Amino acid sequence: MKLFIICGVLSCLALVQADPQPVRWCLKSEQELKKCQKLGSLACVQKPGTLDCIKAIQNGEADAITLDGGDIYTAGLLPHNLHPILAEHYGTEATCYYAVAVVKKGTDFDINKLRGKKSCHTGLGKTAGWNIPISTLLEMGEKDGGITWGGFDEKPLEDVVAEFFSASCVPGATNPKLCQLCKNCKRSHEEPYYDLNGAFQCLKDGVGDVAFVKHLTALNDGDNYELLCKDGTRKAVTEYKTCNWARVPAHAVVSRSDRDLADRIEDVLNTLKGKGLFSSEGPVKDLMFKDSTTELQRLPELTTSYIFLGGEYWNAIHSLRIEKTPSDSSKKIRWCTVGTVQTEKCDEWSTFLSDDEGDSRLECEPSKTVQDCFKKILYDQADAISVDGGEVYTAGTCGLVPAMVEQYNEAMCTPGTTGSEGFSAFYAVAVVHKDSDVTWDRLQGTTSCHTAVGHAAGWNIPMSLLHEEYKNCDFTRYFSKSCAPGADLDSTLCALCKGGEAGKDKCKASSDEPYYGYSGAFRCLAEGAGEVAFIKHSTVAENTDGNGPAWAKGFKSSDFKLICPTGSAAITEYVNCNLAIVPAHAVVTRPEKHGDIVSFLKDQQINFSTLTLFRESTKCLQEVKQSYQDFLGPKYLNSIKSLHECKQSRSELEEACTARSCPTMA
């Protein structure tokens, strides 16, 4: 009998453990609460408004809410630190939509004559209804019919907008004139003119002259309405692709950064898709989700509000919400470093630039990985880093831009030599010992040395060629053992790496791993750890015949040869025996810091001829005015895209950046 009772108790405990806590959805109105309760499977938590919901999720009182881009920005800021986890998908328009200005047919004004009109907005701080139209009018300026604003030092932005329109409905506004056309001005469905359909209803009722909404909102009433285009014309509501104010990110579900919680949220929403999750009964639309939603797209775990929104839109919101400060060209440059050696060189550089009081124009920002540096640059915690071509690609997908490129040909360093024709490139080569019987056709099963996973010459080029040949995404199958810094430490790709004392920093993608980088990969070969090294054409000469660091002094260049798909050749014959031509290393930064970084580095070339953080073969740095795609070139881009057909070849950061809704606002 006791055994039966014990078993019964254990069974109950097992049932309790198998029944996880329900997902707590935050609602902002009675209408949303009723829908949530009708759906079932969710615990429904009602709060007065969006910010209250954001705080509730932050404090663990609720788990999730769907927000528009402007609110995603707020949710991502400290102390909230919420992350987008699922993006709304709108069928053929994917996870983007167009912000438009809708007016009634028969009216006779255009975008340049909005001053004095009555306006309908989805809500204060919302994307289509506030951030895009107000930032657009600010860009236009008063001269072209827009708004002039001197920043918060002059007056609040709401007051400036209130002076521009004769009357408005901006739910959530504090300026009375911006609430004049609203019923109660609450930033929730308690206000009839709130959100996309509410703002459009404000226009339909004749309360306002223009409604700022998304492109899908007015499609069903196309015969009676038109769009205001940025070029001063009007077009039909169906022509939103060529007549819009911006292409902006979708709405997304946000939550705390917790993979298990995100999985639970996704699972429960999947069970509700066929039960009216994306539809709203009654006059109030877009409850919990936009009614136009067709699917929810799971976002990579590393996705933050900045990555999801994209730097351009994030900065547009940022400029509307903080005090504007003039650019200070003398502001310190924060250089991101990876590994002990880079940090020491940066500190040396910073010390050289110090004044009598010890202040320096250069600050060094140490990080564990290049990916961490990219994140710091994206979040304005650092400004620049010099990286390999493969890393320029990852940086570019996240919205960073190349600013300066290393030039290895001194003849190209004369003033006025710019443009892609003057930029340096180098040959990616495969090197073996002179007496080796390893050939390109017999690489499989050998041991290999790579500069780092994701680097151009050491990984992207050779592995893309092998992938094209063998069509296998399991990279551990190509070589028996390798040293590929940055790979999974427990895999064979890290088996040959050396590490520091007692194996510390083994396979780390920084100079703390002795076999990292060009010289490191060659050292891996020269010391007998691997049979083939994937490096650049100048590496052998830089580390043999008495050149290079102490470990390289005993090696001769004549003891090595090149192998390539067409055969083999002497080390000096790289023009005829190579794997590809790849772009030189470049400095990457945020778009708005491009000018500051270029000015700083040009000044350093004049006053500090030895730029310690760049390759020793660098003769000068040249400004890059191209996009990252043009800088890398179509051939190299194709090789990366081929390799990146394999998911494991894409970094987590690249996954997050390429999964975001809209690459640009235009």
Side-chain angles (χ1 to χ4, degrees), residues 18 28-29 58 101 114 147-148 169 175-176 205 242 271-272 287 301 382 391 419 499 501 526 549 617 664:
K28 302 174 295 181
S29 66
Q58 170 198 339
L114 283 174
I147 300 173
T148 297
C169 177
N175 185 297
D205 290 348
T242 57
T271 65
L272 295 173
L287 298 175
E301 188 177 5
E391 293 162 333
E501 294 181 8
S617 55
T664 64

Side-chain angles (χ1 to χ4, degrees), residues 645-659:
E645 291 174 9
C646 301
K647 185 176 181 180
Q648 66 269 38
S649 70
R650 303 191 294 268
S651 69
E652 286 185 292
L653 183 61
E654 184 186 333
E655 282 281 297
C657 291
T658 53

Side-chain angles (χ1 to χ4, degrees), residues 493-510:
L493 292 173
C494 286
L496 299 183
C497 291
K498 194 169 187 175
E501 294 181 8
K504 183 182 178 182
D505 298 321
K506 182 177 180 178
C507 209
K508 187 177 179 181
S510 79

